Amino acid sequence: GVTLSRAEREVALMFCRGLTDKEIADRLFRSYHTVRTQKKAIYQKLGISKDTELLWWCICKRLGIEFNLQSIRTKGINILHDATGDNI
């Protein structure tokens, strides 16, 4: 699996809580440019290109599901049913 640095994980998780890049920078006492650079590194490491895909990564991480972008793009929200057995 892909390993994000501690700083990258902080940025990713704050983004997935709904914070903007500016809000993340303010809360972590980092510059906006640093947060944007870290977010670009996250995208590269995860092989993603959209904010929604970063949100999917956070959901998978939280639920203990393997993050598989191809499956997500194919199955969408149904990937959660496949992983948990719950009807969504």
mmCIF file of all heavy atoms in Angstrom, residues 1-6 8-9 45-46 57:
data_model
loop_
_atom_site.group_PDB
_atom_site.id
_atom_site.type_symbol
_atom_site.label_atom_id
_atom_site.label_comp_id
_atom_site.label_asym_id
_atom_site.label_seq_id
_atom_site.Cartn_x
_atom_site.Cartn_y
_atom_site.Cartn_z
ATOM 1 N N GLY A 1 0.807 -1.196 0.000
ATOM 2 C CA GLY A 1 0.000 0.000 0.000
ATOM 3 C C GLY A 1 0.847 1.256 0.000
ATOM 4 O O GLY A 1 2.037 1.222 0.244
ATOM 5 N N VAL A 2 0.186 2.334 -0.248
ATOM 6 C CA VAL A 2 0.831 3.639 -0.287
ATOM 7 C C VAL A 2 0.965 4.186 1.133
ATOM 8 O O VAL A 2 0.058 4.049 1.947
ATOM 9 C CB VAL A 2 -0.005 4.614 -1.140
ATOM 10 C CG1 VAL A 2 0.562 6.011 -1.103
ATOM 11 C CG2 VAL A 2 -0.104 4.108 -2.569
ATOM 12 N N THR A 3 2.104 4.789 1.406
ATOM 13 C CA THR A 3 2.328 5.385 2.713
ATOM 14 C C THR A 3 2.444 6.895 2.569
ATOM 15 O O THR A 3 3.284 7.387 1.824
ATOM 16 C CB THR A 3 3.621 4.841 3.356
ATOM 17 O OG1 THR A 3 3.521 3.419 3.456
ATOM 18 C CG2 THR A 3 3.828 5.438 4.731
ATOM 19 N N LEU A 4 1.567 7.593 3.256
ATOM 20 C CA LEU A 4 1.651 9.047 3.297
ATOM 21 C C LEU A 4 2.463 9.459 4.518
ATOM 22 O O LEU A 4 2.417 8.788 5.547
ATOM 23 C CB LEU A 4 0.256 9.670 3.400
ATOM 24 C CG LEU A 4 -0.738 9.386 2.278
ATOM 25 C CD1 LEU A 4 -2.066 10.090 2.564
ATOM 26 C CD2 LEU A 4 -0.194 9.794 0.928
ATOM 27 N N SER A 5 3.177 10.561 4.395
ATOM 28 C CA SER A 5 3.902 11.086 5.549
ATOM 29 C C SER A 5 2.885 11.567 6.585
ATOM 30 O O SER A 5 1.691 11.736 6.291
ATOM 31 C CB SER A 5 4.793 12.259 5.126
ATOM 32 O OG SER A 5 3.996 13.389 4.801
ATOM 33 N N ARG A 6 3.353 11.785 7.778
ATOM 34 C CA ARG A 6 2.467 12.275 8.845
ATOM 35 C C ARG A 6 1.820 13.592 8.432
ATOM 36 O O ARG A 6 0.615 13.795 8.613
ATOM 37 C CB ARG A 6 3.265 12.448 10.137
ATOM 38 C CG ARG A 6 2.435 12.944 11.285
ATOM 39 C CD ARG A 6 3.239 12.965 12.583
ATOM 40 N NE ARG A 6 2.497 13.679 13.586
ATOM 41 C CZ ARG A 6 2.949 14.746 14.213
ATOM 42 N NH1 ARG A 6 4.154 15.203 13.969
ATOM 43 N NH2 ARG A 6 2.216 15.350 15.111
ATOM 44 N N GLU A 8 1.278 14.732 5.410
ATOM 45 C CA GLU A 8 0.323 14.481 4.329
ATOM 46 C C GLU A 8 -0.975 13.887 4.874
ATOM 47 O O GLU A 8 -2.064 14.267 4.444
ATOM 48 C CB GLU A 8 0.935 13.565 3.272
ATOM 49 C CG GLU A 8 2.053 14.215 2.482
ATOM 50 C CD GLU A 8 2.888 13.236 1.688
ATOM 51 O OE1 GLU A 8 2.805 12.008 1.940
ATOM 52 O OE2 GLU A 8 3.650 13.688 0.811
ATOM 53 N N ARG A 9 -0.858 12.962 5.828
ATOM 54 C CA ARG A 9 -2.058 12.380 6.444
ATOM 55 C C ARG A 9 -2.891 13.449 7.144
ATOM 56 O O ARG A 9 -4.113 13.451 7.055
ATOM 57 C CB ARG A 9 -1.687 11.272 7.434
ATOM 58 C CG ARG A 9 -1.429 9.930 6.797
ATOM 59 C CD ARG A 9 -1.380 8.788 7.805
ATOM 60 N NE ARG A 9 -0.626 9.056 9.017
ATOM 61 C CZ ARG A 9 0.693 8.912 9.142
ATOM 62 N NH1 ARG A 9 1.412 8.489 8.127
ATOM 63 N NH2 ARG A 9 1.294 9.175 10.282
ATOM 64 N N LYS A 45 0.976 10.214 -4.900
ATOM 65 C CA LYS A 45 1.181 8.937 -4.215
ATOM 66 C C LYS A 45 -0.022 8.011 -4.337
ATOM 67 O O LYS A 45 0.132 6.804 -4.483
ATOM 68 C CB LYS A 45 1.489 9.174 -2.733
ATOM 69 C CG LYS A 45 2.882 9.697 -2.470
ATOM 70 C CD LYS A 45 3.126 9.843 -0.987
ATOM 71 C CE LYS A 45 4.526 10.315 -0.695
ATOM 72 N NZ LYS A 45 4.780 10.411 0.756
ATOM 73 N N LEU A 46 -1.233 8.588 -4.264
ATOM 74 C CA LEU A 46 -2.445 7.773 -4.330
ATOM 75 C C LEU A 46 -2.897 7.506 -5.762
ATOM 76 O O LEU A 46 -3.801 6.704 -5.980
ATOM 77 C CB LEU A 46 -3.579 8.458 -3.553
ATOM 78 C CG LEU A 46 -3.366 8.646 -2.051
ATOM 79 C CD1 LEU A 46 -4.545 9.383 -1.436
ATOM 80 C CD2 LEU A 46 -3.140 7.309 -1.358
ATOM 81 N N TRP A 57 -10.582 7.973 -0.561
ATOM 82 C CA TRP A 57 -9.438 7.387 0.145
ATOM 83 C C TRP A 57 -9.680 7.458 1.652
ATOM 84 O O TRP A 57 -9.466 6.475 2.364
ATOM 85 C CB TRP A 57 -8.140 8.110 -0.231
ATOM 86 C CG TRP A 57 -6.961 7.596 0.541
ATOM 87 C CD1 TRP A 57 -6.212 6.496 0.247
ATOM 88 C CD2 TRP A 57 -6.412 8.149 1.748
ATOM 89 N NE1 TRP A 57 -5.228 6.334 1.199
ATOM 90 C CE2 TRP A 57 -5.332 7.329 2.132
ATOM 91 C CE3 TRP A 57 -6.720 9.256 2.526
ATOM 92 C CZ2 TRP A 57 -4.569 7.593 3.254
ATOM 93 C CZ3 TRP A 57 -5.964 9.511 3.659
ATOM 94 C CH2 TRP A 57 -4.893 8.681 4.012
#
